[in-house]
Amino acid sequence: MLTRTLGPKGATVSVLGLGCMGMSGMYGPADEAEGIATIHAALDAGVTLLDTGDFYGMGHNELLLREALRGGRRDRVFIQVKFGAQRAPDGAWLGFDARPQAVKTALAYTLRRLGTDHVDLYQPARLDPAVPIEDTVGAIADCVRAGWVRYVGLSEMGAETIRRAHRVHPITALQLEYSLMSRSIEREVLPAARLLGIGVTAYGVLSRGLLGATPAKPVGGGDFRAHAPRWQAENLKKNLALADALDAVAREQGATRAQAAIAWVISRGDDIVPLVGARTRAQLRESLGALDLRLAPEDLDRIERAVPAEAVAGDRYGGPQMAMLDSERPARPHTP
C-alpha cells in the first residue's frame, strides 16, 4: 500500500482511506458483521485511514469501529472523526453545534465509544454560523495539547474560513466531496489548501454510488439519496448516461467505472486521499483495484471528457443542506 502525507506536520496515511458512514445505515440497511469484516479486509490490504462521524447512526459507527479494532488493531490505524451535527432520536437533522464546550463534550463521548485515549484527526462537520471558527479550532487545539487529539481538520469549509482556522492552529486536512461529478473545490478551496500545505481527504468519490457498479434509485427514508437532487427523475436519467459513458472508457482500460473514478481522484495530486465508502468486502476489492491502474495523461483526459462537470444534473444536496456548505460560498477577496 502506497502512502501519502497530509498537512504541514506530516500525517502519513494510506493512499486510499475507508469511509465507514454507510456501515451505519445512511444508505439504507447495512449488515454489521459484513461491515466489520470489510474493515478487517481493509486493514489486511494496508488501508490505515478510517473515517467516521459521531452522528453516523447516532454513535453506532464509532461503536462498530471499536468492535472492529479489538485485538490490538487500534494502533494500526489513523482514525478521523467529524463532530458537531445535531440529530433527534428519530434521526432528524437539527443543525450544528461547534461551541468550545460542545467540542470537548463530543470528544469525551467519542473517546468512550471508540474505546481509545485519542483521535488521530478531529474536525467539525460543518461551519457553525453562530460560532467563530477561531473558537472551534482553539478548543480542538486545547485537546491536542491535552493529548486527546493528534491533528486538527476541517470539513466542507471555504477558503477564507480555512485561512482563519490555520492562523489559530495548523490544519492537517480538509474533508471535501470531490469526484468527477463534484469539482467545485477546484475553483477556490483546493488552491487555498495547497497554498497552506493542507491535504484533502475526498469523500463521495463515486458520487454516492452514481459511478458505482450498479447504480439504482434508492428507496425508503433510511437512504438519504432518495431525496438527493442528483437521484431525482430526469436528473438521474442524465447522470446515469454519464456513468455509462465512463463505463465505456473504463472497459478499454480493463477496469470498472468505479475503479476509473477512484483512479482519477488519486491522480489529482499527492495531497489528496480518496475515501471509498465500501460496505462490503466485494466493494472494497473493486475499489482497491483502482490502485493497479496505470493511466496516462490522455487516459485521464478521456475519463474527464466522459463525465464533464458541467453536464452533471442537480446539486449534491437539497437547498437547505447546500446552504450549510461553507465550501460552496464564493470567497471574499483575500488580503494576505
Side-chain angles (χ1 to χ4, degrees):
M1 177 65 65
L2 300 174
T3 60
R4 288 189 166 174
T5 301
L6 301 175
K9 291 192 175 181
T12 301
V13 297
S14 53
V15 71
L16 205 63
L18 180 63
C20 299
M21 182 184 78
M23 299 176 187
S24 293
M26 301 292 283
Y27 292 132
D31 184 320
E32 186 169 304
E34 181 62 24
I36 291 173
T38 301
I39 293 169
H40 289 169
L43 299 187
D44 290 343
V47 173
T48 62
L49 174 57
L50 301 178
D51 177 79
T52 186
D54 61 11
F55 50 93
Y56 292 168
M58 281 75 82
H60 174 271
N61 206 240
E62 291 177 325
L63 293 170
L64 182 76
L65 274 182
R66 177 177 184 156
E67 184 63 29
L69 296 177
R70 291 187 186 278
R73 295 183 178 93
R74 168 64 182 100
D75 294 338
R76 298 166 52 188
V77 297
F78 183 100
I79 302 176
Q80 61 179 37
V81 179
K82 290 178 293 301
F83 70 91
Q86 305 296 289
R87 301 187 69 179
D90 63 359
W93 299 94
L94 305 175
F96 299 90
D97 188 352
R99 295 170 299 156
Q101 60 266 47
V103 171
K104 296 175 181 179
T105 299
L107 178 61
Y109 282 88
T110 280
L111 294 174
R112 178 60 63 91
R113 284 189 293 264
L114 286 173
T116 185
D117 63 357
H118 74 281
V119 165
D120 295 290
L121 185 141
Y122 203 49
Q123 54 193 344
R126 298 288 188 272
L127 179 66
D128 183 342
V131 180
I133 192 61
E134 291 86 352
D135 292 355
T136 301
V137 171
I140 304 175
D142 288 344
C143 297
V144 172
R145 287 186 283 271
W148 303 323
V149 171
R150 296 288 187 263
Y151 299 97
V152 180
L154 300 173
S155 177
E156 292 291 358
M157 304 291 180
E160 181 57 29
T161 302
I162 296 164
R163 287 188 282 262
R164 288 168 51 196
H166 197 68
R167 294 187 194 111
V168 176
H169 188 280
I171 303 300
T172 291
L174 303 172
Q175 188 166 347
L176 299 158
E177 184 165 351
Y178 190 36
S179 72
L180 284 163
M181 287 186 161
S182 299
R183 301 184 59 180
S184 61
I185 70 167
E186 294 175 347
R187 293 193 295 267
E188 296 174 345
V189 177
L190 187 55
R194 284 179 164 160
L195 189 63
L196 297 171
I198 300 171
V200 169
T201 59
Y203 74 93
V205 294
L206 298 182
S207 296
R208 311 294 194 174
L210 281 169
L211 299 178
T214 54
K217 183 173 176 59
V219 295
D223 189 334
F224 83 93
R225 296 174 300 176
H227 308 288
R230 289 181 181 174
W231 290 83
Q232 305 306 308
E234 287 301 308
N235 285 350
L236 180 61
K237 182 178 178 180
K238 293 175 182 177
N239 292 331
L240 291 181
L242 296 176
D244 288 341
L246 177 62
D247 197 54
V249 174
R251 283 200 304 269
E252 294 177 6
Q253 301 296 326
T256 66
R257 60 182 165 206
Q259 289 168 341
I262 295 167
W264 179 85
V265 178
I266 292 173
S267 78
R268 304 307 288 171
D270 291 340
D271 53 352
I272 295 175
V273 175
L275 302 171
V276 297
R279 301 201 297 172
T280 68
R281 285 166 286 181
Q283 291 172 338
L284 176 67
R285 283 192 297 271
E286 181 182 11
S287 297
L288 291 171
L291 300 178
D292 297 325
L293 293 183
R294 297 295 179 262
L295 300 176
E298 54 268 26
D299 299 323
L300 294 167
D301 288 343
R302 292 189 65 217
I303 288 171
E304 286 189 25
R305 289 197 300 271
V307 189
E310 64 274 10
V312 177
D315 288 331
R316 49 195 181 109
Y317 295 105
Q321 290 79 18
M322 286 295 293
M324 297 176 185
L325 298 176
D326 187 54
S327 57
E328 294 287 348
R329 299 189 184 101
R332 296 187 298 273
H334 171 57
T335 301

